[in-house]
Structures are given as C-alpha cells and as structure tokens.
Amino acid sequence: MTRQVLETLLVALVLDALANGASTRFAVAGSCPSFCACDTWYELQRVSCTGRHLYSIHTGAPSDVQAMDVSNNTISELNDYELTNIGLSKLKYFNLSANAISDISLRAFDGLLELAVLDLSQNRLHYLHAETFVPTASLRILQLSRNDFNSHVPKLRSPSLMNLAMDSCQISYIPADTFAGLSHLRSLDLSNNLMIQLDSITLQPLKLRQLAITGNPWSCNKLMHDLELYLTGKNIEHDTVCGKNTGPKKFEKMIVYDPHVKYEKHRPSIIANVNTKNALTPRKDLTPVPTIKDASICGNATAESDLTKTLNAISPYWFFVFGFLLGSACATFTTYIWLTKRIICCRRYRERRNNDIQRVSLLQNLWQFDDPAFNDNETRHETRSCPGTPPPPYREVMSRPGLYRSPSVNTNNSAART
C-alpha cells in the first residue's frame, strides 16, 4: 500500500518518469562523495550512501541533490537547521531508515520546502515535537514504522501530509486529539501494535480513505463495533477485525456462567394429565414425570444452589477474619499445652531432687551409731560397711531405725558413759 503511494507521488513529482527506472550517472566533476553512489532515479538526482557506518549526515553531497538515501547507518540525531546548512534544501526524497536516531530537534527540517517523502522507520524514536514537520509544506508521505512510541504517540501537525505509517511502534493507546492537526491525511497504518480498542472520535477529524489496523489484540466490545460502523459508513477501506462472532472465550464463559440457568434448562417439566387412560399410556411426545430419585436430585441441586448463594453473599473479608481467629486460637491452645507440660516436668524434677537430698542427708546422719547392744564384732561388721559401699536404701533405714542413730544420740551416749 505505501509503496504504491510512494511510486505514484514520485511519478507526479517529475514530468517524464522512466518506465523501468533506469539509472544514469549525472556527471558533475568532483561532486559525488567517494563512499557514495550518485545516479538519476525517476528523474531525480540521487546520492546513495547506504551501509557505510556513517554517524552523521555530513556526507559531502552536492547541493543540487534531490533524493538522498543514508539508510542502514549509525546516525543518532538531527540538529536544528543541520540539513539546510550543508546544502540539502532541494531534497524531495530523504531516506533515514534503519539508523539509531533517537533525537530530532524542532527545527531540524526547516528550509526543506520541497521535501515530499521522509522515511524515519526502524529508528529509536520515543518522542517527536508536534511542530517538527510544519516547515515542510510539501510533505506527503511520512514513515515512522518500527519505532517505540508506546503511549507517547506524537500529535503531529502537517497540513500537507497524506500518508502516515506508524505500524509496529508498540502503541498501546491513542488519545482522541492525536490526529487533529492532520486534516488532509488519506492513508493511516496502525497495524501490528498493542491497542485493544480505538475510539471512532479519534478518526473523525481525518478524511481517511484507507486504514490498516490488523495485528492488534482488539477487544471486540461496543467501542470496536461502533468503530466498524463508522468506517463502513464513511466508506473507508479497512480490514474487518470484529466481524466474526467467535463466541465467548474460556474465562468469559466462567464469568457469565449461571447455575440457575443450567438448572432451569435441565429441569423436568410436570404435565398434569386429565385423562387417566392417557396418563397410564406412555406417550413419546410428553416429558416423563420425575421419579423419587429425580426429585431427590433436584432437591440436592436446590440445596447446592442455596449454599452457593450463601457462600457468594459472604464477603472474603469475613473468611480472612475467621481464618485469623482460628489460627490464633490454635496457637494459644498449643502454647498452653506446651507450658503446662514444662511446668509439670520442672515440678517433678524439683520434688525428685529434694527427696534425693533428704535421703542422702538422713543416711549420712544415721550412719554412725553407738549402742552397747551392738558392740560385738559380728554386729559391728554387719551394720558398718566398708568404705566405698553405697548407703542402704531409704526403706531399710525407715524400717530399722535402731541400726542407724543420729550423731546427737551418739554424743549423748558417750557423755553418759564418761
């Protein structure tokens, strides 16, 4: 589409277009740069410097050049009045595609009154001033494809622009006043972007004849249907994107699902038969009366639907609160059980330790005795143990207290004997 418009415009720019586009050298001594190719292209004096790793447009081209191709280079910016200062004011065709241009000054194209075709595709443009192309009063075709405008779509103003291409520019949204300054625009290419909807109000200031919008993730809602009606009513050539009714998608089916509709659809209808004979005779055209089993199924379905209604009516906030309270209660109960066990274990250990200390103390105090009835060697040998022998059990000490006397008793006996 763009190529045909371009060729038509170039043919209109010259009086006699060559049928096969034959090229002949325009011989001007010392005028063509050594790293460029100079020829005649559609009756236009052209300089081609493609793929030369140029980082600037200062190529040394002659001032009478009408078509210039510096694509596939590394040019990064265009400054104010730069093209006019190097003598390129007679340009009608300028190809700057496949470069690294990220900044174009406001007055970069001032003085190019004859410029009709400008190609800035495949660059790194993120923003353009609205008044950038106002001085180019003859501009007809502007190529901005494969840049990265995203949501910063330039609101250009050009009273002469007729063909604008902004395909593959990562555009997600176009404001309503974006094309208000392009009153003579006839062809617009917005294909292969990220738009989900486009308001017809955006296109109303234009006098479009052709619109390309394929390759976008369109959401076929009312806004898009209104756009289809607007384009059809204005006889604008376009590709239909929402014409086919493909039905709801999976997630849309989940949203619009209503269990009541499904229940009513499959609910058996009960037909009252007045004639008993006809009622007893099975007929194929009547729906069978549901049995007890079917009635129970219907009752379960009704109960489930009521439960679903109840659960849907409960706010998710209450589920969160209930879960928090339940978790807190479980944590408190677990902590109480753990502390209780720890306290019981500590108490038992303390009691056991006190009993052991009391037992050892009692055995130590009652180990020595001084009773004349047990002074014989046999009894002394029986009651007194050798060094290193463990003390007798607590039960034996308590059952035979006569064998074990306290030190106070021994002391009193010794004093009495003295």
Side-chain angles (χ1 to χ4, degrees), residues 30 86 100 108 137 142 147-148 187 195 248 264 291 391 416:
I86 61 177
L142 178 60
N147 284 283
D148 190 8
S187 178
M195 295 182 294
E264 294 293 338
T291 59

Coordinates of all heavy atoms in Angstrom, one line a residue, residues 30 86 100 108 137 142 147-148 187 195 248 264 291 391 416:
G30 N 33.8 15.9 -9.7 CA 34.1 16.0 -8.2 C 33.0 16.3 -7.3 O 33.2 16.7 -6.2
I86 N 24.1 22.3 5.3 CA 25.0 21.5 4.5 C 24.5 21.5 3.0 O 25.0 20.8 2.2 CB 25.2 20.1 5.0 CG1 23.8 19.4 5.0 CG2 25.8 20.1 6.4 CD1 23.9 17.9 5.4
A100 N 20.1 4.9 14.0 CA 19.9 4.9 15.5 C 19.4 6.3 16.0 O 19.8 6.7 17.1 CB 21.3 4.6 16.2
A108 N 14.9 20.9 12.8 CA 15.8 20.0 12.0 C 15.4 20.1 10.5 O 16.3 20.0 9.7 CB 15.7 18.6 12.5
A137 N 6.3 22.1 3.9 CA 4.9 22.4 3.4 C 4.6 21.4 2.3 O 3.4 21.3 1.9 CB 4.8 23.8 2.9
L142 N 5.1 10.1 5.2 CA 5.9 10.1 6.4 C 5.9 8.7 7.0 O 4.8 8.1 7.3 CB 5.4 11.1 7.5 CG 6.2 11.1 8.8 CD1 7.7 11.4 8.6 CD2 5.6 12.0 9.8
N147 N 9.3 2.2 15.4 CA 9.9 2.9 16.4 C 9.2 2.5 17.7 O 8.5 1.5 17.8 CB 9.7 4.4 16.2 CG 10.7 4.9 15.1 OD1 11.9 5.1 15.4 ND2 10.2 5.1 13.9
D148 N 9.5 3.2 18.8 CA 9.0 2.8 20.1 C 8.3 4.0 20.8 O 8.8 4.6 21.7 CB 10.1 2.2 21.0 CG 9.6 1.6 22.3 OD1 8.3 1.4 22.3 OD2 10.4 1.2 23.1
S187 N -4.3 8.2 4.2 CA -4.0 6.8 4.5 C -3.2 6.7 5.8 O -2.3 7.5 6.1 CB -3.1 6.2 3.4 OG -2.7 4.9 3.7
M195 N -2.8 -2.1 20.7 CA -4.0 -1.5 21.0 C -5.1 -2.5 21.2 O -5.2 -3.5 20.4 CB -4.4 -0.5 20.0 CG -3.5 0.7 19.8 SD -4.0 1.9 18.6 CE -3.9 0.9 17.1
P248 N -17.9 -16.4 23.3 CA -17.1 -16.1 24.4 C -15.9 -17.0 24.6 O -16.0 -18.2 24.2 CB -18.1 -16.2 25.6 CG -19.1 -17.1 25.1 CD -19.2 -16.9 23.7
E264 N -32.6 -24.6 35.3 CA -33.9 -24.4 34.6 C -33.9 -25.1 33.3 O -35.0 -25.6 32.8 CB -34.2 -22.9 34.5 CG -34.4 -22.2 35.8 CD -35.7 -22.6 36.5 OE1 -36.6 -23.2 35.8 OE2 -35.8 -22.5 37.7
T291 N -39.3 -39.2 38.9 CA -39.5 -40.2 40.0 C -38.9 -39.6 41.3 O -38.5 -38.4 41.4 CB -38.7 -41.5 39.6 OG1 -37.3 -41.2 39.5 CG2 -39.3 -42.1 38.4
P391 N 25.2 -46.2 100.4 CA 24.3 -46.1 101.6 C 23.1 -47.1 101.4 O 22.7 -47.4 100.3 CB 23.9 -44.7 101.7 CG 24.0 -44.2 100.3 CD 25.2 -44.9 99.7
A416 N 27.3 -39.9 128.7 CA 26.8 -40.7 129.8 C 27.8 -41.7 130.3 O 27.9 -41.9 131.5 CB 25.4 -41.4 129.4

